[in-house]
DNA sequence: ACCCGACTTTGTAGTCATTACAAAAATGAG
DNA sequence: CTCATTTTTGTAATGACTACAAAGTCGGGT
């Protein structure tokens, strides 16, 4: 992707192979990955990759404003493009993190009780629509055949 | 405090000295402390206190519903009473965490885009009213005399 | 008062994410 | 090609937290 090299250059980051691959991964996988997920995903392509490089690169990207780090839950750091403000929902069953465009009263750059607000995070947690099933049993790890047997879904307030 | 012993008994927790002191600390210091802050604060009173006991106790309190753990920012776990829902503001200068009663559209126990929401956290960050000063220089560690010299405050949108 | 078993606390060791640091490798201008 | 600068890598260190087992505490039954 020439695109990615351009992004790096625009942010004054030399487009080394590792940096390009990491940013490319972030671009193609909008899953708010942890450093380790990125590392695991790139190990095949870059067998010599070091976890230190992943951390160095992510921190450099944050420094230059390409990425932001999120502390949602469970004290884990996750990374995503620095995009328009939006809110997050994490499924406690499958672990997926969803972006919600839900328009929200954002107090960013405003004042509340005299406090100047510069960051505003809304983090929701629950059971995502793919994991909401008639029974509360987790269906995440059921084999495909077992999954198919479940035909009745609760629409639960359409 | 007989009160604290009562709270423990009501939650089926034997009121040992350590547990009473830890809960008493939480009750008297509504600062959303970390485990280490609690440990440091109680070391004088309980010289034999172990950090493991602090963690064990906090986790037991959470298990029994007395406390909740917060993952606000910087990947640190903080503890507070399990109270009515409210939102948090952390000052990036002095580090204090404020409770804001700001009424908020809470999606708890509601559905968004088909996802069932069970937890709802709003975390704000910025500069608290005590740290907002005419200059952006941090005044947190200035001696009292220097502080007093600063007379002009920005009301900044009353 | 003594014994015993259950619960609680403690210290140490282990895990996991992240950072610090220095050596090795790659890059690139002259 | 050469050498200085940048980048990557591996290893060690840090810090929060957990696992685990030994030691301490306590209360009931004798
Ligand atoms: Mn997002
Ligand atoms: Mn609070
Ligand atoms: Zn899910
Ligand atoms: Zn402050």
């Amino acid at each position: 992707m020439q695109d990615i090299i351009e992004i790096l250059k625009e942010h004054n980051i030399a487009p080394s192979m590792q940096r390009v691959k990491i940013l490319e991964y972030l671009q193609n996988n909008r899953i708010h990955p942890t450093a380790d997920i990125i590392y695991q995903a790139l190990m095949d392509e870059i067998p010599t990759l070091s976890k230190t490089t992943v951390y160095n690169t992510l921190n450099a990207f944050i420094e230059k404003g390409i990425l932001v780090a999120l502390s949602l839950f469970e004290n884990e750091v996750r990374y995503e493009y620095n995009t328009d403000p939006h809110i997050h929902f994490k499924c406690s069953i499958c672990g997926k993190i969803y972006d919600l465009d839900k328009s929200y009263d954002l107090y960013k750059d405003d004042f509340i009780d005299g406090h100047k607000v510069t960051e505003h995070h809304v983090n929701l947690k629950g059971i995502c629509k793919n994991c909401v099933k008639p029974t509360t049993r987790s269906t995440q790890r059921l084999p495909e055949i077992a999954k198919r047997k479940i035909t009745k879904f609760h629409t639960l307030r359409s």
Side-chain angles (χ1 to χ4, degrees), chain A:
Chain A
M1 292 283 146
Q2 188 64 23
D3 205 12
I4 287 169
I5 291 174
E6 282 312 309
I7 293 173
L8 291 174
K9 283 181 180 168
E10 281 167 18
H11 288 85
N12 293 311
I13 299 173
S16 72
M17 186 260 281
Q18 287 83 344
R19 288 166 178 171
V20 170
K21 292 289 183 191
I22 289 172
L23 192 54
E24 188 179 48
Y25 179 83
L26 268 306
Q27 184 166 89
N28 295 338
N29 304 86
R30 307 301 183 102
I31 59 175
H32 311 82
T34 62
D36 191 62
I37 288 173
I38 298 169
Y39 173 71
Q40 299 294 338
L42 296 180
M43 272 176 58
D44 295 334
E45 238 182 320
I46 316 171
T48 66
L49 183 64
S50 160
K51 205 172 260 190
T52 302
T53 299
V54 176
Y55 280 108
N56 287 343
T57 302
L58 292 170
N59 287 335
F61 288 176
I62 290 171
E63 182 93 10
K64 299 302 175 99
I66 300 178
L67 300 181
V68 292
L70 306 174
S71 293
L72 302 182
F73 302 101
E74 286 93 32
N75 255 64
E76 60 192 3
V77 177
R78 291 174 172 271
Y79 302 86
E80 71 171 347
Y81 267 92
N82 185 6
T83 61
D84 293 336
H86 59 275
I87 73 177
H88 290 109
F89 173 91
K90 176 167 184 175
C91 177
S92 46
I93 292 179
C94 67
K96 274 208 199 90
I97 293 169
Y98 295 82
D99 286 331
L100 298 183
D101 299 325
K102 218 72 193 169
S103 80
Y104 225 90
D105 281 343
L106 295 181
Y107 291 117
K108 193 162 167 359
D109 298 327
D110 207 343
F111 285 80
I112 298 184
D113 296 355
H115 310 309
K116 179 177 186 176
V117 179
T118 57
E119 282 184 48
H120 184 130
H121 300 277
V122 178
N123 304 327
L124 308 182
K125 196 172 179 180
I127 303 175
C128 81
K129 62 178 160 192
N130 292 323
C131 294
V132 171
K133 291 282 150 35
T135 66
T136 50
R137 220 177 315 158
S138 163
T139 59
Q140 180 201 17
R141 289 168 205 288
L142 292 182
E144 284 307 313
I145 293 169
K147 266 188 186 164
R148 264 186 244 121
K149 281 184 186 168
I150 299 169
T151 52
K152 275 272 185 194
F153 278 62
H154 276 305
T155 320
L156 295 158
R157 277 212 214 183
S158 58

